[in-house]
């Protein structure tokens, strides 16, 4: 048995990763912070495909809740093999109009939350000297999109964190990689205006937004033994937008 914790798995990319990993045979911890019905429906889908897991409510921007979640998961299943650090938010604004509460909530979830989950999961992985951490980054970690200074800064931090943790944790048998999607059809993208969507589509060589299942495919591959020698990498999956 292998156990995967996927943060922010009630919707979007996290949900697709949870379902894909369930099909791979992982026992999946479907983490969510508010959307219990959606988390339950993700777990139902995992189960109807023959997999299993649990749903777990925890705000991953809160260290105490992260500690409790990893402790409970470790106690219930005896191990954590894979962490998909996925829960994230976007709060676009030009610098001069930036609301500092938005800055705080983005940094708390997209950066501090990733540190909290990586640390608490790694503490459990150390014991068995094996584990995989996959951080959900974004092309915005490299691309400069006006109005995305906060989000870009958080994803740039995720990329740096990925590389440094790969160095620190490699000797403990833990691989750390990141996936940097471009525009993926989720609620995050659905919230954009039609004009903005068209503007972005025009910049994508493959001329379509990606699907959450396509991100999940890369996550599942990276987690597997086929990529056992890969660590510290940020894999871009963006239809060519960053070229
Ligand atoms: P989404 O559809 O908005 O889903 C976000 C998920 O995160 C939900 O399951 C939400 O669950 C959960 N969440 C939010 N705050 C949380 C918290 N404090 N603790 C635990 N869970 C929390 O987002 P998405 O588009 O799938 O994005 C997922 C990740 O991919 C993010 O890191 C994002 O930056 C990255 N990404 C997305 C795109 C894209 O185009 N969509 C592109 C590049 C990168 P609750 O409702 O229960 O809180």
């Amino acid at each position: 048995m292998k156990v995967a914790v996927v943060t922010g798995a009630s919707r979007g990319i996290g949900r697709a990763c949870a379902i894909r990993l369930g099909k791979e045979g992982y026992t999946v911890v479907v983490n969510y912070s508010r959307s219990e019905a959606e988390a339950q429906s993700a777990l139902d889908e995992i189960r109807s495909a023959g997999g299993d897991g649990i749903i777990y409510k925890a705000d991953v921007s809160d260290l105490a809740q992260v500690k409790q979640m990893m402790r409970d998961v470790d106690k219930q299943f005896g191990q954590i093999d894979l962490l998909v650090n996925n829960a994230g938010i976007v709060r676009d604004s030009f610098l001069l109009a930036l609301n500092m509460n938005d800055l705080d909530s983005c940094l708390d979830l997209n950066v501090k939350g990733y540190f909290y989950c990586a640390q608490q999961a790694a503490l459990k992985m150390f014991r068995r000297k094996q584990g995989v951490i996959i951080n959900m980054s974004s092309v915005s970690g490299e691309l400069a999109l006006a109005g995305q200074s906060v989000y870009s800064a958080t994803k740039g931090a995720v990329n740096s964190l990925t590389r440094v943790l790969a160095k620190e944790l490699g000797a403990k048998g833990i691989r750390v990689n990141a996936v940097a999607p471009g525009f993926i059809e989720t609620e995050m993208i659905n919230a954009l205006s039609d004009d903005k969507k068209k503007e972005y589509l025009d910049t994508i060589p493959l001329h379509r937004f990606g699907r959450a299942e396509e991100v999940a495919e890369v996550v599942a591959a990276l987690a597997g033994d086929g990529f056992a020698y890969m660590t510290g990498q940020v894999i871009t999956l963006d239809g060519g937008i960053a070229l």
Side-chain angles (χ1 to χ4, degrees):
M1 183 192 61
K2 281 191 166 190
V3 178
V5 177
V6 184
T7 69
S10 55
R11 281 182 280 117
I13 293 172
R15 178 191 175 96
C17 290
I19 291 168
R20 182 71 180 76
L21 293 167
K23 286 182 184 153
E24 287 287 314
Y26 286 87
T27 297
V28 186
V29 178
V30 177
N31 161 254
Y32 68 101
S33 69
R34 283 157 304 173
S35 310
E36 181 163 351
E38 285 93 333
Q40 187 57 51
S41 107
L43 181 58
D44 291 346
E45 202 168 327
I46 291 169
R47 286 186 172 145
S48 67
D52 203 4
I54 57 168
I55 62 170
Y56 198 106
K57 179 180 167 73
D59 174 352
V60 295
S61 66
D62 181 311
L63 178 59
Q65 293 186 43
V66 171
K67 278 186 174 168
Q68 190 64 47
M69 174 169 71
M70 298 302 180
R71 213 181 287 136
D72 288 347
V73 170
D74 192 49
K75 201 167 163 198
Q76 182 167 350
F77 299 111
Q79 66 200 67
I80 296 175
D81 298 278
L82 170 64
L83 165 68
V84 183
N85 245 339
N86 167 80
I89 49 171
V90 65
R91 293 284 182 270
D92 288 350
S93 166
F94 287 98
L95 179 70
L96 299 184
L98 180 60
N99 173 324
M100 294 308 164
N101 291 330
D102 286 345
L103 174 64
D104 283 342
S105 42
C106 256
L107 291 174
D108 285 350
L109 181 59
N110 299 9
V111 181
K112 290 168 82 175
Y114 279 45
F115 272 87
Y116 297 158
C117 291
Q119 185 194 52
Q120 294 305 310
L123 282 167
K124 310 299 178 202
M125 292 170 179
F126 273 173
R127 217 177 43 229
R128 298 170 62 237
K129 292 221 175 334
Q130 65 181 55
V132 176
I133 296 174
I134 298 177
N135 293 323
M136 201 53 67
S137 181
S138 162
V139 283
S140 300
E142 290 291 331
L143 282 185
L145 294 176
Q148 283 216 318
S149 58
V150 173
Y151 186 68
S152 288
T154 65
K155 295 304 184 179
V158 167
N159 293 350
S160 300
L161 175 70
T162 300
R163 288 186 280 265
V164 176
L165 292 191
K167 268 206 169 174
E168 288 187 11
L169 302 178
K172 308 281 185 198
I174 301 171
R175 296 190 294 116
V176 187
N177 290 294
V179 179
F183 293 105
I184 307 299
E185 280 172 352
T186 65
E187 284 180 25
M188 212 179 242
I189 289 298
N190 294 340
L192 294 172
S193 69
D194 286 347
D195 283 353
K196 230 5 180 194
K197 279 188 198 161
K198 186 178 176 323
E199 184 190 320
Y200 288 147
L201 271 179
D202 288 343
T203 64
I204 303 172
L206 292 185
H207 210 71
R208 67 171 177 86
F209 295 129
R211 293 188 300 274
E213 292 72 20
E214 292 174 306
V215 181
E217 201 61 38
V218 177
V219 167
L222 275 178
D225 289 343
F227 284 84
Y229 199 52
M230 181 183 279
T231 196
Q233 302 305 304
V234 179
I235 308 299
T236 301
L237 183 81
D238 68 346
I241 198 173
L243 296 172

